[in-house]
Amino acid sequence: MVEYARKWLWLMGALLVLSPVLGGCLTRVGATPDRLSYNLPAAFTIERGSALLDTGIVYEASGEDGVYLLIDGQRALKRRGDSIQWQGSPVSGTEMDLDLRILWYTDEQMHLVGRASIIVLDVNPQTGVMDTTSELSFTGPVAYGIPHGGYLPGTTLTYEGETEQGAELGGLYNEYPYRQIGDSIIWEGRLRDGVYMRVELRTVQFGDNALRVAGIATLWFDS
């Protein structure tokens, strides 16, 4: 119990430190954005003879000098720390830019880490339980400022303003709508066909004009 309390206090302290820099993330009042952008950590493991997603980048073999890849049909020798980049669309209505580095490899596997810049177009959030079995997923920190009457980006939730009970949320469908500073906000559902999201947030600050939250978002792509 003591360890849990320490972790909770550490999280609250981090969120309060972040709160002054979140004011520039306000969404449009009365509308949920139909174009969302994310910059999330990425990690992949590629088996020998397999490709990285649908990129055409294949882990061919390892050797004394490094690993041999096939990139668009051309052989490339790469070593630990070398870059691998790709731009494309994993599912319809999305854009992805992968900026990766080779972390380590064996004769059977190659491990990559880096960042994924993701754009989701024509967003139409729908609440629901997700199928999270897709191998293509990304998780990372997010922070938002939501004006009074605005939507939490990518969700059906709105900020209805400050009340005596706390910050009031809309779009919860008969769930308790009030949150105090440090309270959790969880939403999951579909952003558009083939793209799903779960956000686990904490209330950082709220007032008459805006609600500020920070936490973790996970995106799944059902290809």
Side-chain angles (χ1 to χ4, degrees), residues 109-186:
Q109 294 180 332
M110 179 173 62
H111 301 270
L112 308 171
V113 295
R115 305 291 297 181
S117 298
I118 301 165
I119 296 175
V120 183
L121 304 171
D122 299 324
V123 175
N124 182 26
Q126 295 182 20
T127 303
V129 178
M130 302 174 301
D131 178 6
T132 59
T133 59
S134 171
E135 295 182 358
L136 182 55
S137 66
F138 303 90
T139 299
V142 292
Y144 301 110
I146 306 104
H148 190 161
Y151 280 84
L152 176 62
T155 79
T156 57
L157 304 181
T158 59
Y159 179 48
E160 300 301 316
E162 182 180 11
T163 72
E164 292 182 357
Q165 293 91 348
E168 182 179 0
L169 302 177
L172 285 173
Y173 304 106
N174 297 322
E175 295 181 44
Y176 188 75
Y178 304 107
R179 300 292 189 276
Q180 297 291 343
I181 291 177
D183 285 353
S184 60
I185 301 173
I186 298 175

Side-chain angles (χ1 to χ4, degrees), residues 66-110:
V67 293
Y68 293 94
L69 308 180
L70 289 177
I71 303 177
D72 295 329
Q74 296 180 313
R75 204 178 198 213
L77 175 63
K78 297 278 188 177
R79 295 181 174 180
R80 291 180 183 176
D82 283 358
S83 65
I84 295 178
Q85 297 176 324
W86 179 80
Q87 294 179 329
S89 176
V91 300
S92 177
T94 66
E95 300 172 8
M96 184 179 295
D97 187 343
L98 295 178
D99 186 5
L100 307 172
R101 296 274 174 179
I102 298 175
L103 182 63
W104 61 282
Y105 59 85
T106 67
D107 288 341
E108 300 300 325
Q109 294 180 332
M110 179 173 62

Side-chain angles (χ1 to χ4, degrees), residues 198-219:
R198 176 181 173 90
V199 288
E200 301 180 38
L201 307 170
R202 293 279 178 177
T203 304
V204 176
Q205 187 181 43
F206 64 86
D208 290 335
N209 297 323
L211 166 69
R212 291 180 171 85
V213 297
I216 299 295
T218 300
L219 297 181

